[in-house]
């Protein structure tokens, strides 16, 4: 017992009384259990409270004192945001003062002359316990960095507002910092923390005097539940301007998603919508504000439908694999060298659904492996069938989603498929999109290396379309780069585009990697690429993706 008492850092108690005898008596009662500080008037007491504010567990405060009385101390401590957590027990001989002190926020009182020692000890320890418990709750209620609500409490309060004050009609606003991890990486964590704190302050200022509430979670996401604003762009600009004052070089960019109030939508769902709107802003530097609208609602309904229908689609064979030829243009005429397998969904009500509409959806919901496993096994069966039918191996590349890379059974599935169909591993090629490498470089490199050791060939898909990093090319073990020519379309200087392409071709060749150009749409593009030494191409200029029967005609010809 004694040891544990000595080891524990004793709680600190401040005794404030102008009468020495009172200080002595209280000190004697408490000294075995607490560390004690003394002050003999209000002014001294306030100084000590400030100095020891982070350690003080309780203050025992006489009310009638010279210089500054206990009431004044009490009211100043209660008015201070940082000091008010410290509980104050007043020491008094007058019943009337007791009530006033309690009304002013005193936690309890001890009457003079002093009671039995045990009673005083019990009161002090109970008040400390109570206040520590309250602080624990308040800590969980707030995010320590910004002092905004933590997520659970935020939704608890938002739900109450929605349930009991539906006339308030609150909108959901999600605010996010673009590429916050690079803000941290470039300027240091301290700078990043400060940016979050400052943004939290600005949000608090915006909400002050209103019924609105706010929360921070996931590092850089701020949720704001507020009365509908006449101009959300102005609000975003206000927050952005505050961020701009932090540092001219840091280039912190905010984006905002808004979901307008609807009576039938609970706060949680409303914030999902605001968050969906916010994530649609990603990467687009001009429209950094997105308001959830009817189109997005329809999209949400469609998504729900696709998610529900996937299982049936597999069973009823609504999913089809299309093949797009890849050509070797070194021969004249160009020769079919392989194909890419691309999924299509022939939906009974919605018609042909393209992968762009459902691949990202299934990726985020974890069902992508259903689609991919289907495509991989179809492709493997098809290679075997063509070998039998035409006597040649037409290699097929299949797409691996960024999510597949985390599937522990990936190697087993793929090797199982090639073995079951009697194929060389190199005839089932694997395309992994460029952005997947940047997201999880370490894990990705490990996985890809193992697949290559097993004999699979890896193609880096969509090179040039995302945030490619040259450093990545140094590290990532791939066999072939798929240069996506679609970055040439749209705005921008064509001449520059051509310079870039020609240099990328050279660079890839010097790195001794193979190159294939995808998205080749015109004769000029094909000629340009060929002139600069790119020998393998895929794109509408040759063929669009097609069903098996059409593809077989090309193989047979
Ligand atoms: P990707 O892997 O880069 O596939 C090439 C996409 O470009 C295909 O779109 C193809 O139809 C299109 N394309 C080909 N040539 C041209 C051209 O000359 N011009 C233009 N504008 N487009 C061209 P698709 O089939 O709509 O697929 C889109 C994306 O969906 C694919 O991009 C791939 O990332 C993903 N995807 C398709 N099938 C699968 C699959 O089975 N599994 C996974 N995980 N993703 C798939
Ligand atoms: Mg691909
Ligand atoms: Mg591609």
């Amino acid at each position: 017992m004694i040891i544990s008492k000595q080891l524990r850092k004793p709680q600190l108690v401040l005794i404030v009384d102008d009468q020495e005898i009172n200080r002595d008596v209280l000190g004697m009662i408490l000294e075995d259990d607490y560390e004690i500080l003394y002050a003999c008037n209000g002014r001294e007491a306030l100084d000590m409270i400030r100095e020891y504010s982070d350690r003080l567990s309780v203050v025992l405060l006489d009310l009638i004192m010279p210089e500054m009385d206990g009431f004044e101390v009490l009211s100043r401590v209660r008015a201070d945001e940082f000091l008010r957590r410290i509980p104050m027990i007043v020491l008094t001989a007058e019943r009337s003062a007791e009530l006033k002190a309690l009304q002013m926020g005193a936690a309890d009182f001890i009457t003079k002359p002093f009671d039995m020692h045990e009673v005083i000890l019990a009161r002090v320890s109970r008040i400390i316990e109570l206040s520590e418990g309250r602080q624990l709750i308040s800590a969980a209620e707030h995010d320590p960095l910004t002092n905004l609500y933590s997520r659970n409490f935020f939704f608890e309060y938002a739900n109450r507002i929605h349930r009991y004050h539906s006339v308030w009609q609150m909108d959901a606003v999600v605010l996010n910092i673009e590429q916050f991890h690079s803000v941290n990486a470039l300027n240091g964590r301290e700078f990043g923390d400060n940016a979050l704190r400052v943004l939290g302050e600005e949000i608090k200022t915006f909400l002050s005097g209103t019924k609105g509430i706010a929360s921070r979670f996931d590092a850089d996401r701020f949720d704001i539940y507020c009365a509908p604003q006449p101009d959300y762009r102005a609000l975003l600009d206000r927050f952005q301007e505050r961020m701009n004052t932090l540092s001219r070089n840091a280039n912190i960019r905010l984006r905002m998603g808004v979901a307008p109030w609807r009576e039938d939508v609970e706060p949680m769902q409303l914030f999902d919508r605001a968050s969906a709107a916010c994530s649609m802003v990603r990467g687009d530097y001009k429209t950094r504000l997105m308001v959830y609208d009817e189109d997005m609602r329809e999209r949400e309904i469609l998504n729900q439908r696709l998610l529900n229908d996937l299982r049936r689609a597999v069973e009823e064979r609504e999913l089809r694999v299309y093949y797009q030829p890849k050509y070797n243009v070194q021969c004249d005429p160009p020769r079919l060298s392989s194909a890419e397998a691309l999924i299509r969904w022939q939906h009974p009500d919605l018609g042909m659904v393209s992968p762009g509409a459902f691949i990202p959806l299934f990726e985020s919901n974890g069902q992508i492996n259903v689609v991919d496993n289907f495509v991989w096994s179809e492709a493997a069966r098809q290679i075997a069938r063509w070998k039998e039918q035409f006597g040649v191996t037409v290699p097929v590349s299949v797409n691996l989603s960024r999510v597949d890379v985390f599937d522990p059974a990936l190697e087993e599935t793929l090797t199982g498929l090639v073995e079951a169909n009697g194929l060389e591993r190199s005839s089932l090629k694997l395309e992994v999109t460029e952005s997947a490498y940047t997201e999880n470089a370490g894990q990705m490199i490990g996985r890809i290396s193992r697949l290559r050791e097993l004999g699979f060939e890896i193609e880096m898909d969509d090179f040039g379309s995302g945030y490619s990093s040259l450093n990545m090319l140094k590290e990532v073990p791939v066999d072939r780069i798929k240069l996506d020519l679609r970055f040439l379309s749209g705005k921008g200087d064509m001449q520059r585009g051509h310079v870039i392409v020609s240099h990328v071709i050279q660079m890839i060749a010097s790195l001794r990697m193979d190159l294939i150009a995808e998205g080749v749409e015109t004769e000029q593009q094909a000629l340009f690429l060929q002139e600069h030494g790119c020998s393998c191409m895929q794109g509408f200029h040759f063929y669009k993706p097609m069903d098996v029967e059409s593809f077989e005609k090309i193989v047979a010809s």
Side-chain angles (χ1 to χ4, degrees):
M1 273 314 273
I2 291 171
I3 292 174
S4 75
K5 199 165 162 183
Q6 280 172 346
L7 282 179
R8 215 185 75 210
K9 196 172 175 192
Q11 287 148 323
L12 189 62
V13 175
L14 172 64
I15 297 173
V16 189
D17 202 309
D18 58 328
Q19 307 273 318
E20 191 177 353
I21 174 79
N22 287 338
R23 294 198 300 270
D24 283 351
V25 172
L26 285 174
M28 247 170 42
I29 298 172
L30 298 171
E31 69 187 359
D32 281 351
D33 296 273
Y34 301 98
E35 189 182 333
I36 317 255
L37 295 169
Y38 298 95
C40 48
N41 64 52
R43 197 166 302 284
E44 218 180 281
L46 257 187
D47 289 344
M48 294 183 100
I49 291 172
R50 292 210 176 93
E51 188 179 342
Y52 294 94
S53 65
D54 50 341
R55 277 198 55 211
L56 260 183
S57 290
V58 69
V59 177
L60 305 188
L61 181 67
D62 185 21
L63 285 177
I64 317 296
M65 290 181 294
E67 277 205 56
M68 185 191 282
D69 67 13
F71 291 113
E72 183 64 23
V73 176
L74 198 52
S75 82
R76 293 206 189 184
V77 168
R78 300 297 301 169
D80 187 307
E81 201 182 330
F82 292 102
L83 303 183
R84 81 162 65 112
R85 62 150 199 97
I86 304 169
M88 321 278 278
I89 300 178
V90 296
L91 312 170
T92 166
E94 296 170 45
R95 295 239 75 120
S96 61
E98 265 167 32
L99 179 64
K100 187 174 169 203
L102 288 174
Q103 281 168 340
M104 287 177 70
D108 201 352
F109 56 87
I110 291 174
T111 44
K112 294 188 204 176
F114 297 128
D115 281 332
M116 287 160 58
H117 296 182
E118 289 76 7
V119 174
I120 292 178
L121 263 175
R123 290 201 161 201
V124 169
S125 99
R126 187 182 66 97
I127 290 299
I128 292 179
E129 238 169 65
L130 273 177
S131 107
E132 285 179 350
R134 226 186 352 256
Q135 279 163 39
L136 214 64
I137 291 173
S138 147
E141 201 176 297
H142 289 98
D143 156 40
L145 188 67
T146 60
N147 211 25
L148 296 175
Y149 283 122
S150 59
R151 187 158 174 72
N152 287 346
F153 277 86
F154 175 75
F155 276 111
E156 181 60 37
Y157 292 132
N159 285 337
R160 281 188 208 174
I161 292 175
H162 178 77
R163 210 169 305 139
Y164 303 117
H165 305 281
S166 62
V167 286
W168 292 0
Q169 307 206 346
M170 307 285 259
D171 287 355
V173 178
V174 168
L175 198 61
N176 222 307
I177 299 180
E178 208 83 55
Q179 307 265 328
F180 182 64
H181 57 276
S182 24
V183 171
N184 259 335
L186 291 171
N187 305 284
R189 209 190 153 87
E190 215 171 293
F191 179 90
D193 277 358
N194 188 47
L196 296 170
R197 212 177 292 121
V198 168
L199 186 53
E201 281 302 321
E202 193 62 26
I203 292 173
K204 263 188 268 173
T205 314
F206 157 65
L207 291 176
S208 71
T210 75
K211 302 183 178 76
I213 54 174
S215 140
R216 177 184 79 107
F217 80 108
D218 258 9
D220 64 338
R221 170 172 161 176
F222 292 82
D223 284 11
I224 308 171
Y225 200 43
C226 62
Q229 300 296 304
D231 185 354
Y232 279 106
R233 171 145 308 277
L235 184 63
L236 174 59
D237 287 346
R238 168 190 175 154
F239 294 136
Q240 181 65 56
E241 273 157 28
R242 185 69 189 90
M243 290 290 95
N244 295 348
T245 62
L246 288 181
S247 153
R248 233 179 309 146
N249 309 326
N251 194 23
I252 300 177
R253 293 193 147 272
L254 299 176
R255 57 172 192 266
M256 182 185 270
V258 178
W261 182 86
R262 282 181 65 111
E263 188 166 19
D264 57 341
V265 178
E266 302 254 322
M268 194 76 100
Q269 200 191 349
L270 203 63
F271 275 95
D272 281 348
R273 289 181 173 184
S275 164
C278 189
S279 59
M280 292 186 74
V281 174
R282 201 178 289 258
D284 188 335
Y285 287 101
K286 273 169 255 118
T287 54
R288 288 176 304 113
L289 166 72
M290 190 72 86
V291 178
Y292 187 91
D293 59 11
E294 217 25 59
D295 282 354
M296 292 178 76
R297 203 173 112 80
E298 276 169 23
R299 177 83 229 168
E300 193 181 31
I301 294 168
L302 174 70
N303 283 353
Q304 203 47 54
R305 170 117 198 233
L306 294 175
L307 289 172
N308 291 341
D309 290 353
L310 177 62
R311 199 145 294 283
R312 187 203 61 207
V314 176
E315 284 160 12
E316 307 284 324
R317 305 199 63 79
E318 293 167 17
L319 296 182
R320 310 259 165 82
V321 179
Y322 271 39
Y323 295 87
Q324 186 177 31
K326 297 180 178 183
Y327 275 93
N328 181 342
V329 293
Q330 264 172 339
C331 325
D332 191 23
R335 208 183 64 215
L336 175 74
S337 63
S338 59
E340 174 170 7
L342 293 158
I343 187 76
R344 297 290 179 268
W345 185 343
Q346 183 63 53
H347 193 283
D349 306 321
L350 303 169
M352 187 70 97
V353 189
S354 78
F358 59 86
I359 295 283
L361 174 70
F362 292 144
E363 276 181 344
S364 60
N365 135 294
Q367 296 201 52
I368 188 67
N369 65 331
V370 177
V371 176
D372 281 348
N373 282 311
F374 169 79
V375 176
W376 303 342
S377 68
E378 275 296 298
R381 259 184 343 125
Q382 206 54 257
I383 303 171
R385 213 179 292 151
W386 288 330
K387 203 160 112 186
E388 199 180 291
Q389 199 174 337
F390 302 106
V392 286
T393 295
V394 183
V396 172
S397 60
V398 293
N399 289 284
L400 248 63
S401 150
R402 63 197 71 231
V403 182
D404 296 323
V405 177
F406 298 101
D407 177 1
L410 181 64
E411 285 97 349
E412 204 183 317
T413 309
L414 291 170
T415 46
L417 280 175
V418 286
E419 266 157 37
N421 290 284
L423 307 176
E424 300 277 325
R425 288 180 182 168
S426 61
S427 59
L428 188 70
K429 303 185 195 301
L430 311 175
E431 295 193 8
V432 181
T433 188
E434 173 201 70
S435 57
Y437 292 92
T438 36
E439 283 159 19
N440 308 293
Q443 208 156 356
M444 188 59 104
I445 291 172
R447 209 67 205 256
I448 295 296
S449 306
R450 244 168 298 141
L451 287 167
R452 287 184 81 210
E453 278 160 23
L454 288 173
F456 291 99
E457 286 179 16
I458 313 292
E459 304 188 343
M460 184 190 284
D461 207 353
D462 310 316
F463 185 75
S465 63
Y467 297 98
S468 337
S469 129
L470 293 178
N471 196 36
M472 188 171 71
L473 281 185
K474 199 176 89 209
E475 292 174 13
V476 169
V478 295
D479 299 277
R480 200 163 296 111
I481 301 284
K482 289 191 82 176
L483 176 63
D484 193 327
L485 280 203
R486 276 165 289 179
F487 81 87
L488 286 181
S489 60
K491 288 201 206 88
D493 188 334
M494 278 316 238
Q495 202 55 41
R496 283 195 185 189
H498 284 145
V499 173
I500 295 172
V501 171
S502 61
H503 281 85
V504 169
I505 296 174
Q506 265 180 35
M507 180 179 71
I508 304 286
S510 313
L511 291 172
R512 302 197 187 291
M513 287 193 253
D514 289 343
L515 177 75
I516 166 166
E518 64 172 329
V520 181
E521 291 184 342
T522 64
E523 176 85 35
Q524 290 105 298
Q525 284 177 337
L527 285 172
F528 177 84
L529 289 163
Q530 200 174 0
E531 265 169 38
H532 287 84
C534 172
S535 57
C536 195
M537 299 181 203
Q538 172 188 356
F540 294 172
H541 173 58
F542 301 93
Y543 285 106
K544 291 192 169 179
M546 60 190 83
D547 59 25
V548 187
E549 293 75 29
S550 310
F551 186 78
E552 282 173 354
K553 287 190 191 127
I554 294 177
V555 179
S557 67

